[in-house]
Amino acid sequence: MTVSLKLYNTLTRQVEEFKPLNPPHVGMYTCGPTVHDFAHIGNLRTFIFEDLLQKVLEAEGYKVVRVMNLTDIEDKIIKKAKEKGVSLEEFTTPYELAFFEDLRKLNIKYADIYPKATEHIGGMVKYIEVLVKKGLAYVAEDGSVYFDISKFPEYGKLSQLDKREVKAGARVKADEYSKEDVQDFALWKSVDPGEVGYDSPWGRGRPGWHIECSVMSQQYLGETFDIHGGAVDLIFPHHENEIAQSEGKTGKQFSMFFVEGEHLLVNGQKMAKSLKNYFTLRDIEAKGFEPLALRYLALTAHYRDKLNFTWKSLQAAQNALNNLREEVRDWDQSKIGCAEYERRFFNAVDNDLNVPQALAILWELVKSDYPTSAKAESLLKFDKILGLKLDEYLGKPLEVPEEVQKLVDQREKVRKNKDFQKSDELRDEIKKMGYEMEDTPTGPKVKKVL
Ligand code: AMP
Ligand code: ZN
């Protein structure tokens, strides 16, 4: 362990040495899902990246306190629940459960706390009251409350907005908007009678999306914490607005690091619900892929690089994972690993999470001439970070069903008699049963295929 993690910080646009405020503790907040639908595999790429970051921090000996919000009230949710004629809770609960199921299947460690927006409305109202008192927010004619970006001189520091674009006084009420709308944003939105809302000093309304993350992150992690994460689409307006609200309120730095992962693309375009170019974990499982193959695929790209999703690349990831499992099946374990490989592996992950390089080093180790017992020890250390559950395969020979084994033995016989046609036929038959043969110097090796 080297304790020399370097991370890219969007605040400074530089790779910096990571030093927590209160070692060995690390406070980490990551924006969670909007539970209006199943997560798509683009969302999941981000959650895998954040999990890798947590696992690297833990491998460095840090004690991570991880908070991830669940956005269970927001423009899209309200619209969809209304269309379905159900309450917000009835509408969001199945997607919330599905989200946790996805995390489990992807071997993503659960956060310590999953605060829900609807359970923190009181805290949000109090927070907004402070912003109004400090003159950073104002109440509009309709009872909505807006953050006045002209009162926060550092507005735009995270997303490096050109100050000239800022339209002070103009307002945006929607939860999501583009860089073209650099305007005062809604902290509290007035609602019409009959719409979902809560009582407040400004009349019935509901919170905007950005305020929930300031309130819930600071409630659980304090006014200043170590790492704030998400994907790059959140840099503006979401994270920018969180900084304005939080630093405006406390006068202190909000998060020391902002780390945002790049997107998963499809045909060169961001995977997004609105573009209808998305797949869920259920979609990929329906095609016979394992969730861990998606995790493997995510490991092959650096988190700050875009990754274009194709079924071919997912198949390649599934094959690589299968091969890796087969490699380790007949290894036994010792207490002594391969120091040189471990040094290289941890150097790679410490260098702004260079996981693709770390994965290549793992494969180098697998193919090396070191005794398998030593390789096993290092491999398990690596997999604590990569999370491919290789311990379920290491040292556990494949249990080949009797019918398959019979065909394998039969094929060995005909091959020895040089009846290659029959041998090929038997190979095909074995394949149909989901197994593959590899002829090695020590005899045939049977592998499971997808
Ligand atoms: P949402 O449920 O829409 O709030 O998104 C959950 C997380 O997924 C957020 O951190 C988003 O920034 C992230 N995200 C959305 N689309 C993509 C994508 N195509 N690739 C990677 N992350 C994404
Ligand atoms: Zn957020």
Side-chain angles (χ1 to χ4, degrees):
M1 246 179 275
T2 51
V3 197
S4 63
L5 174 62
K6 291 187 202 69
L7 269 184
Y8 182 83
N9 190 351
T10 310
L11 279 168
T12 57
R13 310 265 154 169
Q14 270 172 15
V15 175
E16 292 176 26
E17 188 135 339
F18 175 74
K19 291 253 185 290
L21 294 162
N22 303 303
H25 303 283
V26 173
M28 180 169 163
Y29 183 86
T30 48
C31 294
T34 309
V35 280
H36 68 103
D37 203 341
F38 295 111
H40 61 60
I41 58 174
N43 304 135
L44 297 176
R45 180 191 180 194
T46 295
F47 303 146
I48 293 169
F49 138 63
E50 294 162 349
D51 180 57
L52 287 169
L53 175 55
Q54 173 164 8
K55 288 187 161 103
V56 169
L57 288 163
E58 287 178 344
E60 295 286 11
Y62 293 123
K63 307 249 173 294
V64 180
V65 177
R66 172 105 186 259
V67 180
M68 185 185 238
N69 65 308
L70 298 175
T71 300
D72 59 350
I73 176 163
E74 159 284 352
D75 294 349
K76 286 188 292 280
I77 293 176
I78 292 172
K79 187 165 169 268
K80 288 187 175 182
K82 198 171 164 187
E83 279 164 10
K84 254 189 134 178
V86 294
S87 70
L88 289 193
E89 198 182 354
E90 276 172 307
F91 180 75
T92 55
T93 301
Y95 298 122
E96 218 176 278
L97 296 176
F99 163 70
F100 287 112
E101 196 183 318
D102 288 354
L103 296 189
R104 193 179 46 72
K105 285 181 177 171
L106 289 165
N107 199 20
I108 291 174
K109 186 174 175 176
Y110 283 179
D112 298 278
I113 311 164
Y114 288 99
K116 288 186 191 179
T118 52
E119 290 171 3
H120 292 75
I121 304 286
M124 294 187 219
V125 168
K126 281 200 191 112
Y127 201 106
I128 298 170
E129 279 185 296
V130 177
L131 292 176
V132 174
K133 241 185 230 145
K134 288 192 91 167
L136 287 160
Y138 59 90
V139 186
E141 316 71 50
D142 68 347
S144 298
V145 184
Y146 287 88
F147 188 93
D148 183 348
I149 57 172
S150 71
K151 297 278 166 56
F152 186 70
E154 291 187 305
Y155 192 78
K157 70 175 174 183
L158 181 72
S159 50
Q160 302 191 333
L161 288 176
D162 181 345
K163 284 268 162 53
R164 279 164 305 175
E165 287 177 26
V166 176
K167 294 183 207 149
R171 294 168 198 161
V172 52
K173 201 169 174 180
D175 282 329
E176 285 181 85
Y177 50 90
S178 75
K179 270 196 178 181
E180 312 314 308
D181 296 312
V182 186
Q183 303 174 0
D184 293 350
F185 58 91
L187 299 168
W188 187 260
K189 308 175 188 211
S190 65
V191 296
D192 294 330
E195 267 188 61
V196 179
Y198 305 85
D199 291 327
S200 83
W202 319 285
R204 258 184 100 65
R206 62 181 172 84
W209 170 37
H210 314 295
I211 193 70
E212 71 173 84
C213 285
S214 284
V215 172
M216 297 196 281
S217 61
Q218 292 184 313
Q219 175 170 336
Y220 296 102
L221 296 173
E223 290 181 336
T224 304
F225 52 89
D226 297 294
I227 300 176
H228 195 311
V232 287
D233 56 315
L234 298 187
I235 295 175
F236 186 87
H238 187 55
H239 289 172
E240 191 71 66
N241 291 352
E242 283 185 50
I243 291 176
Q245 295 160 159
S246 309
E247 299 191 359
K249 177 170 178 275
T250 65
K252 295 179 194 156
Q253 183 159 349
F254 175 44
S255 176
M256 304 309 286
F257 275 77
F258 274 83
V259 286
E260 283 106 352
E262 256 299 349
H263 285 144
L264 186 72
L265 311 182
V266 190
N267 295 325
Q269 263 193 316
K270 178 190 169 192
M271 180 175 284
K273 292 269 159 62
S274 55
L275 296 173
K276 299 204 166 43
N277 62 351
Y278 66 91
F279 305 106
T280 65
L281 204 58
R282 279 145 204 85
D283 294 332
I284 72 163
E285 286 184 285
K287 290 207 179 211
F289 293 102
E290 286 175 72
L292 285 180
L294 178 70
R295 185 170 177 109
Y296 190 101
L297 180 61
L299 300 180
T300 63
H302 190 267
Y303 78 93
R304 285 200 287 125
D305 288 332
K306 295 179 171 67
L307 172 61
N308 194 48
F309 175 81
T310 61
W311 290 105
K312 215 170 142 194
S313 61
L314 186 62
Q315 180 67 64
Q318 179 75 63
N319 294 346
L321 181 61
N322 290 351
N323 291 339
L324 189 52
R325 289 164 170 169
E326 293 312 321
E327 289 280 356
V328 304
R329 276 193 187 281
D330 50 11
W331 290 8
D332 17 75
Q333 215 185 323
S334 75
K335 292 232 159 14
I336 303 158
C338 308
E340 178 60 13
Y341 280 95
E342 291 185 13
R343 191 187 58 73
R344 289 175 58 209
F345 182 92
F346 285 101
N347 272 345
V349 295
D350 282 349
N351 181 15
D352 193 26
L353 304 194
N354 196 339
V355 175
Q357 194 184 359
L359 189 61
I361 293 166
L362 177 142
W363 269 107
E364 250 186 72
L365 168 81
V366 168
K367 299 287 181 192
S368 75
D369 295 332
Y370 275 94
T372 63
S373 58
K375 294 200 277 192
E377 174 64 19
S378 297
L379 183 100
L380 290 178
K381 271 190 201 159
F382 298 172
D383 200 35
K384 277 210 168 115
I385 288 177
L386 302 178
L388 295 170
K389 293 194 172 181
L390 294 172
D391 56 324
E392 290 180 5
Y393 293 82
L394 197 137
K396 299 187 176 100
L398 181 67
E399 279 174 32
V400 183
E402 211 176 312
E403 321 87 84
V404 177
Q405 192 57 50
K406 263 191 201 150
L407 294 176
V408 171
D409 296 343
Q410 210 181 329
R411 182 174 166 271
E412 263 313 274
K413 247 187 235 158
V414 299
R415 226 167 59 89
K416 280 202 180 118
N417 295 335
K418 302 214 174 336
D419 184 350
F420 295 117
Q421 194 184 337
K422 182 75 187 151
S423 161
D424 284 349
E425 280 169 23
L426 285 164
R427 178 192 283 266
D428 288 345
E429 222 174 303
I430 291 165
K431 197 157 185 186
K432 271 188 211 138
M433 298 173 84
Y435 291 82
E436 209 168 48
M437 311 265 327
E438 195 188 331
D439 297 310
T440 72
T442 52
K445 205 170 166 183
V446 187
K447 293 203 268 179
K448 208 164 171 24
V449 287
L450 189 74

